[in-house]
Amino acid sequence: MEWLIQYNKRYIFEMFSTSHILVLLLFLIGSVTIFIFRNKLKKVKWRPIEIGIALSLLFFEVAFHIWLLASGYWDASDSIPIELCSISLILTIVLLLTGRKLIYELLLFSALLGATQALITPVLYYDFPHFRFLYFFYTHVMMIWVALYFTWVKGFRPTIWSVGKVFIFLNVLLPIVILVNTLVDGNYMFLSHKPKTASLLDFLGPHPWYILSMEAILLSLSLFVWLLLREKGDKRAVVRKSN
């Protein structure tokens, strides 16, 4: 395993390095492209590509856990896929395969609020072209692009009830994650304690009160996303797509 350790040490990621900025530029260009060409994209049959992307995301997730095991890094305290972005990845795969409106609603908010923040301030140690770098940015970019694609190209739109659904969904997950944290001595979703590095949580009060602050921020940002992407001209913002 010595060769693997030495290989990993060759790639040290730095925030806002050249590789990071290039990925952010690619993400922005892709997002703008989806919006500008949304009407033309509606005329294309995307089903095979949707399935292909879903399978590629599944492949990356499985490969990531194989890499963790092979590297000796897999640990129940931080490797179980119950972080918000891990859940968003699962939602992305399910949405691409099923096209269910409820899955779209959950993904839209978790991706735009969670994955976007992760792209800007990634918790990452390996730079390009390390597999960990490719896995992190490919999955996070795709979460957001898929949510935007279903919004602008497929015609899905959030309603005010979508905000309630995602709020309930995350609060149902909350005790489950807390239980897992207790069992494996983990800190999934930062519910056990604040991260050791500087973060927004430093301004939200001590544990466990910052969890309530996080809930308030989640609700406020979710309402902002709804206002931004809701069906224009419909006061009730009723989504045309049915379950």
Side-chain angles (χ1 to χ4, degrees):
M1 299 295 293
E2 183 65 26
W3 67 272
L4 184 59
I5 296 175
Q6 294 301 321
Y7 172 78
N8 290 336
K9 288 182 178 179
R10 290 172 53 193
Y11 305 99
I12 306 300
F13 177 80
E14 293 183 9
M15 194 178 301
F16 301 121
S17 60
T18 300
S19 59
H20 187 196
I21 292 175
L22 286 176
V23 169
L24 292 178
L25 287 174
L26 176 63
F27 163 69
L28 289 174
I29 292 172
S31 301
V32 172
T33 299
I34 294 173
F35 178 75
I36 293 177
F37 295 100
R38 61 192 183 280
N39 291 326
K40 291 184 178 180
L41 293 174
K42 291 177 182 178
K43 302 176 182 179
V44 180
K45 295 182 178 180
W46 290 102
R47 190 56 184 158
I49 297 178
E50 291 171 4
I51 296 174
I53 294 175
L55 293 177
S56 71
L57 291 171
L58 181 60
F59 167 80
F60 262 95
E61 181 66 11
V62 172
F64 172 59
H65 285 276
I66 292 175
W67 174 79
L68 286 175
L69 289 168
S71 304
Y73 295 150
W74 200 100
D75 190 281
S77 65
D78 58 16
S79 302
I80 301 173
I82 55 174
E83 294 283 8
L84 182 59
C85 285
S86 298
I87 294 170
S88 296
L89 177 57
I90 296 172
L91 291 172
T92 303
I93 295 172
V94 174
L95 177 60
L96 286 167
L97 293 177
T98 68
R100 291 297 300 273
K101 160 70 181 341
L102 176 60
I103 304 301
Y104 160 78
E105 293 175 301
L106 300 179
L107 174 65
L108 179 67
F109 295 99
S110 63
L112 294 186
L113 300 181
T116 301
Q117 183 271 335
L119 283 178
I120 298 173
T121 58
V123 179
L124 186 64
Y125 303 102
Y126 303 113
D127 206 343
F128 181 85
H130 194 279
F131 166 76
R132 184 71 177 85
F133 178 96
L134 299 175
Y135 162 81
F136 181 90
F137 285 111
Y138 177 72
T139 55
H140 284 76
V141 166
M142 278 301 168
M143 292 175 206
I144 303 171
W145 279 356
V146 168
L148 296 179
Y149 160 75
F150 269 82
T151 301
W152 292 331
V153 179
K154 302 284 282 186
F156 285 58
R157 292 286 177 169
T159 70
I160 187 63
W161 304 115
S162 303
V163 177
K165 291 175 185 177
V166 74
F167 194 75
I168 292 172
F169 173 71
L170 292 176
N171 277 278
V172 168
L173 281 177
L174 198 67
I176 298 174
V177 176
I178 291 175
L179 175 61
V180 173
N181 282 337
T182 302
L183 294 175
V184 302
D185 192 26
N187 190 30
Y188 293 104
M189 294 189 181
F190 301 120
L191 295 178
S192 296
H193 56 78
K194 297 180 182 181
K196 296 180 180 179
T197 56
S199 71
L200 175 63
L201 299 185
D202 294 333
F203 302 95
L204 301 183
H207 182 276
W209 303 113
Y210 69 79
I211 297 176
L212 296 177
S213 300
M214 290 170 60
E215 295 256 26
I217 292 175
L218 168 67
L219 184 58
S220 300
L221 292 178
S222 296
L223 288 171
F224 174 76
V225 170
W226 165 68
L227 287 171
L228 188 66
L229 297 177
R230 73 190 191 282
E231 189 73 49
K232 300 299 186 294
D234 186 344
K235 294 182 180 180
R236 295 175 303 167
V238 177
V239 178
R240 293 172 297 182
K241 300 291 181 179
S242 64
N243 287 328

